[in-house]
Amino acid sequence: MRPVRLLTIDMTSCLIWLLAVSYLIGSIKVGCDSGVVVSPHPTQNLSWWQTGVVYQIYPRSFKDSDGDGIGDIRGIISELDYFTYLGIDCIWLSPVCRSPMKDFGYDCSDFEDIDPVFGTLDDYKTLVAEAHKRGLKILSDFESVYSSDQHDWFQKSVRREGKYTNYYVWEDGLLLPNGTRAPPNNWLSIFGGPAWQWNDERRQFYYHVFLKEQPDLNHRDANVRWEMLDTLRYWLDLGVDGFRLDAISALYETGNVTLNEPPSGRNVPHDQEDFLNHTYTQNQPEVYPDVTSWHELLQEYSRKDGNERFMVIEIYEGTQIRKKLYATGGNPFNFDLLGMSRNLTAREVFETVMNEYDNLPPGKWPNFVLGNHDSRRISHLYGPQYVDVFNTLVLTLWGTPTTYYGEELGMLEADLRWDQTLDPWGLFYGPSRYDEFSRDPERTPMQWTSGPQSGFTTGNTTWLPLATNYTTLNVQTEKESSQQTSLKLYKQLVALRKKQAFQTGEFKPAIVTDDVFSYFRSGDFETYLVVLNFRVEEVNDWSTYAGVKATAVLVTPGVKAIQEGQEVNLQNLRLGPGEGLVLRVSTTTSPIIG
């Protein structure tokens, strides 16, 4: 932990030097004091993905157009104006490829077609066109690690047909004394159990990092690498603006399958993935040249028409792996805000933010993720009263924010019984442990209205149950309320983020304690103070802000005593748990963290 000290310093001479250096190298984070963070030079030209907000759609759960209870592409098209209302710049779609749906679309049986449950390829083309009309960018999910076992490539590989023979990772396994064969090593699937599956027709084992119905592609085969580039070209030619790379840490495994992975020492069952350290199946050195080649292809398209393409990378490992992925030209997701301790403190939030800044390679751009389809919602992780301060945090920090659908509403999760569970990860562990692993709770349908099925579908059922609070927590109710709501706050934050102070302005931590995380954002001769209470009790000691003049710009819904535009006496400020403010201040001289 960083020791806290409160002090005031004259920043003038320091900033002159910092701005001069940052002008030369483009992006820098240094400080006269360790609490000072300087963002990119304020006159730097930024791309759309740096100035914008990325919004993730889980298509099955966003909006249903045909009454079958499953979200689809036409449903997304019908709600594109919602993103215009919010001010969102980019929408990222989880997979809509043709699939047997063993893992709800992540198991593609055709990388270049749309599954009928979501619509048609023409529907997808319409979505891209209509999104572009509204100034929205589209990111497509790119599944490069595996395919469905129903994919034509796998069927041909089973039959050893021509170039497809080695499209997947095949091994003979170990010959046992009784004449049968066992898997070649102890590798485990992320979804639990052995990562090797015997195929009777080919008489070999194939490797699968996820479900047995998702065989891993063999990227050591030049034909597979060509197929991946060709798939990217296909979607780029259809007009997508970039890609989110799925599960990239598992793209390669070591070529020496005689190597067993060592135990992790964690107190988990032997068939659970965390039982092993994945030294031979994750983050192999061959990953980075492949990702670099994909980014180079996107840059080739960007040069053709002047419209920059964006590549964001799913990665859960720490800063050293992220640094290697930054070197490929892509932008690795930072999920650290989703992995903090459940009884978190404001100081831990601060440390998590600073870890991103402290380890950012020169010239690179940070990002912060708030929720996704594989992680429990913020309301579950840290408590529903903290959703608004987390939204305020990610939308006022330096870096690109990614929002998971419904987080702008403060959506809660549904409590799902075992008999309602659909996620294969949860199903593997059975009735006693399903709720530890199931991702169904964070994938429940988007809550649009207080009416039947929350306006998600005209049908009588939804593919997953709705959360119980949908009658009061939904787009329509929050939009039409006469009071401040999570949705209204989110919309205001997106608009505020368009200001230079929040894009390339200086980030400077102010008071940081176990209870409060506050910081300044400065630019275009404006300075803002963001104050967030992560405590379980009211905070009312702000004496160190004496002399700071402030006007409320945004208030979270729980703040009743302060109105937007009101002058605020910080010494008398009272903030309850999960409450926060964005203030415009008239001076930058204030306590900072050391």
Side-chain angles (χ1 to χ4, degrees):
M1 291 294 186
R2 297 165 186 268
V4 175
R5 69 179 187 274
L6 300 178
L7 68 156
T8 58
I9 58 175
D10 178 9
M11 297 295 294
T12 304
S13 58
C14 176
L15 285 178
I16 292 174
W17 178 79
L18 289 176
L19 290 175
V21 175
S22 64
Y23 180 81
L24 293 174
I25 67 175
S27 174
I28 185 171
K29 48 167 189 38
V30 290
C32 300
D33 183 273
S34 60
V36 177
V37 177
V38 177
S39 59
H41 189 272
T43 60
Q44 177 180 331
N45 292 326
L46 300 180
S47 180
W48 57 266
W49 59 267
Q50 293 169 307
T51 61
V53 177
V54 178
Y55 186 105
Q56 182 190 355
I57 294 173
Y58 192 69
R60 294 181 72 88
S61 298
F62 194 67
K63 187 64 179 286
D64 173 28
S65 71
D66 58 11
D68 66 356
I70 301 174
D72 49 45
I73 294 172
R74 287 193 174 275
I76 297 170
I77 294 170
S78 72
E79 296 293 350
L80 285 176
D81 288 340
Y82 176 62
F83 303 113
T84 305
Y85 163 78
L86 289 178
I88 295 296
D89 306 87
C90 174
I91 55 176
W92 149 38
L93 272 65
S94 290
V96 290
C97 58
R98 186 175 289 274
S99 167
M101 297 295 164
K102 295 295 184 179
D103 192 21
F104 299 112
Y106 282 87
D107 50 322
C108 293
S109 57
D110 188 335
F111 291 113
E112 298 181 356
D113 199 7
I114 302 298
D115 195 87
V117 74
F118 297 123
T120 66
L121 195 57
D122 283 339
D123 291 336
Y124 191 90
K125 293 175 182 178
T126 300
L127 171 63
V128 173
E130 290 297 320
H132 286 170
K133 284 180 184 177
R134 293 164 173 80
L136 290 166
K137 304 292 186 180
I138 296 281
L139 295 185
S140 178
D141 222 278
F142 181 50
E143 280 61 58
S144 57
V145 175
Y146 44 74
S147 77
S148 164
D149 61 356
Q150 301 304 306
H151 198 292
D152 187 53
W153 298 346
F154 185 74
Q155 298 301 313
K156 289 180 177 179
S157 189
V158 167
R159 297 189 294 268
R160 302 178 189 263
E161 291 186 15
K163 69 174 185 177
Y164 299 102
T165 300
N166 295 315
Y167 264 39
Y168 296 83
V169 182
W170 295 99
E171 292 293 337
D172 291 333
L174 302 175
L175 183 62
L176 301 179
N178 63 3
T180 63
R181 290 193 175 272
N185 54 45
N186 70 340
W187 298 353
L188 292 172
S189 162
I190 288 175
F191 283 173
W196 295 95
Q197 179 68 28
W198 178 257
N199 181 270
D200 282 331
E201 182 175 351
R202 178 155 167 152
R203 307 297 296 170
Q204 282 186 307
F205 289 95
Y206 64 85
Y207 175 66
H208 59 94
V209 70
F210 289 100
L211 295 174
K212 64 181 176 62
E213 293 87 359
Q214 291 171 284
D216 274 43
L217 288 156
N218 176 21
H219 287 265
R220 298 182 189 281
D221 188 299
N223 291 307
V224 171
R225 296 197 298 275
W226 181 89
E227 296 279 13
M228 293 299 101
L229 285 168
D230 195 54
T231 300
L232 291 172
R233 289 188 189 95
Y234 177 84
W235 292 104
L236 288 167
D237 288 341
L238 286 182
V240 302
D241 301 287
F243 299 91
R244 174 262 191 186
L245 308 186
D246 178 61
I248 207 66
S249 63
L251 190 67
Y252 279 86
E253 54 289 322
T254 183
N256 184 358
V257 297
T258 66
L259 298 172
N260 287 319
E261 293 194 314
S264 66
R266 299 184 183 94
N267 185 25
V268 298
H270 290 198
D271 64 350
Q272 188 172 320
E273 179 243 359
D274 286 345
F275 182 75
L276 300 176
N277 280 332
H278 304 293
T279 52
Y280 302 125
T281 57
Q282 291 185 14
N283 302 307
Q284 301 302 298
E286 296 89 344
V287 168
Y288 309 107
D290 278 21
V291 176
T292 299
S293 70
W294 300 342
H295 184 262
E296 288 173 351
L297 177 65
L298 267 64
Q299 293 300 96
E300 176 186 321
Y301 273 77
S302 300
R303 289 190 294 269
K304 286 179 182 178
D305 58 15
N307 297 319
E308 184 166 357
R309 273 47 170 212
F310 178 47
M311 188 173 76
V312 66
I313 305 167
E314 181 190 32
I315 190 77
Y316 285 90
E317 281 76 7
T319 55
Q320 294 309 309
I321 298 298
R322 289 209 293 265
K323 285 180 180 180
K324 292 180 180 180
L325 287 169
Y326 269 119
T328 68
N331 196 260
F333 272 139
N334 178 355
F335 295 116
D336 292 353
L337 289 174
L338 303 178
M340 298 183 293
S341 58
R342 294 301 172 260
N343 297 317
L344 85 162
T345 64
R347 200 184 309 275
E348 184 179 2
V349 179
F350 164 70
E351 292 288 340
T352 301
V353 170
M354 291 306 301
N355 184 62
E356 171 76 342
Y357 293 153
D358 287 344
N359 290 283
L360 191 70
K364 298 301 181 180
W365 190 262
N367 74 82
F368 297 94
V369 176
L370 200 64
N372 67 24
H373 60 289
D374 290 329
S375 301
R376 303 302 291 264
R377 288 193 178 273
I378 291 295
S379 58
H380 174 87
L381 292 176
Y382 308 120
Q385 69 270 39
Y386 298 104
V387 172
D388 293 320
V389 289
F390 271 105
N391 277 327
T392 302
L393 176 74
V394 298
L395 288 165
T396 57
L397 289 173
W398 167 39
T400 299
T402 298
T403 294
Y404 185 51
Y405 81 95
E407 293 294 351
E408 73 277 17
L409 303 174
M411 268 181 67
L412 307 183
E413 297 180 349
D415 290 325
L416 300 177
R417 304 184 308 269
W418 164 248
D419 63 302
Q420 296 172 311
T421 299
L422 299 177
D423 181 24
W425 202 355
L427 292 174
F428 176 84
Y429 289 98
S432 63
R433 300 189 66 199
Y434 77 95
D435 54 346
E436 295 179 46
F437 297 92
S438 176
R439 298 164 295 176
D440 291 334
E442 61 262 29
R443 297 176 176 184
T444 57
M446 179 70 171
Q447 295 164 192
W448 292 101
T449 73
S450 58
Q453 313 304 341
S454 199
F456 167 75
T457 180
T458 57
N460 295 323
T461 61
T462 56
W463 79 283
L464 281 175
L466 292 158
T468 55
N469 66 331
Y470 77 86
T471 57
T472 56
L473 198 160
N474 58 72
V475 173
Q476 182 183 47
T477 299
E478 293 197 31
K479 197 174 180 180
E480 296 176 355
S481 174
S482 60
Q483 304 297 317
Q484 176 70 309
T485 65
S486 295
L487 179 64
K488 290 181 181 180
L489 172 69
Y490 186 91
K491 175 179 169 64
Q492 292 167 330
L493 286 165
V494 172
L496 188 67
R497 192 179 176 277
K498 302 297 183 184
K499 289 182 172 291
Q500 185 264 321
F502 292 99
Q503 292 185 354
T504 58
E506 176 187 303
F507 169 91
K508 182 169 64 175
I511 295 175
V512 180
T513 68
D514 283 344
D515 307 322
V516 175
F517 179 17
S518 59
Y519 48 92
F520 292 101
R521 297 302 312 275
S522 303
D524 278 351
F525 308 104
E526 290 184 317
T527 297
Y528 295 87
L529 174 64
V530 182
V531 185
L532 306 172
N533 178 10
F534 288 93
R535 192 181 181 183
V536 296
E537 300 173 0
E538 181 181 78
V539 176
N540 55 23
D541 181 11
W542 305 93
S543 58
T544 47
Y545 276 124
V548 177
K549 298 178 181 179
T551 302
V553 176
L554 293 180
V555 298
T556 60
V559 179
K560 304 301 182 185
I562 300 173
Q563 304 297 316
E564 293 171 21
Q566 177 182 332
E567 289 191 8
V568 177
N569 184 339
L570 291 176
Q571 289 181 273
N572 298 327
L573 181 63
R574 306 175 75 90
L575 284 181
E579 293 181 356
L581 295 169
V582 180
L583 305 150
R584 184 182 292 109
V585 298
S586 58
T587 177
T588 59
T589 303
S590 183
I592 67 170
I593 195 78

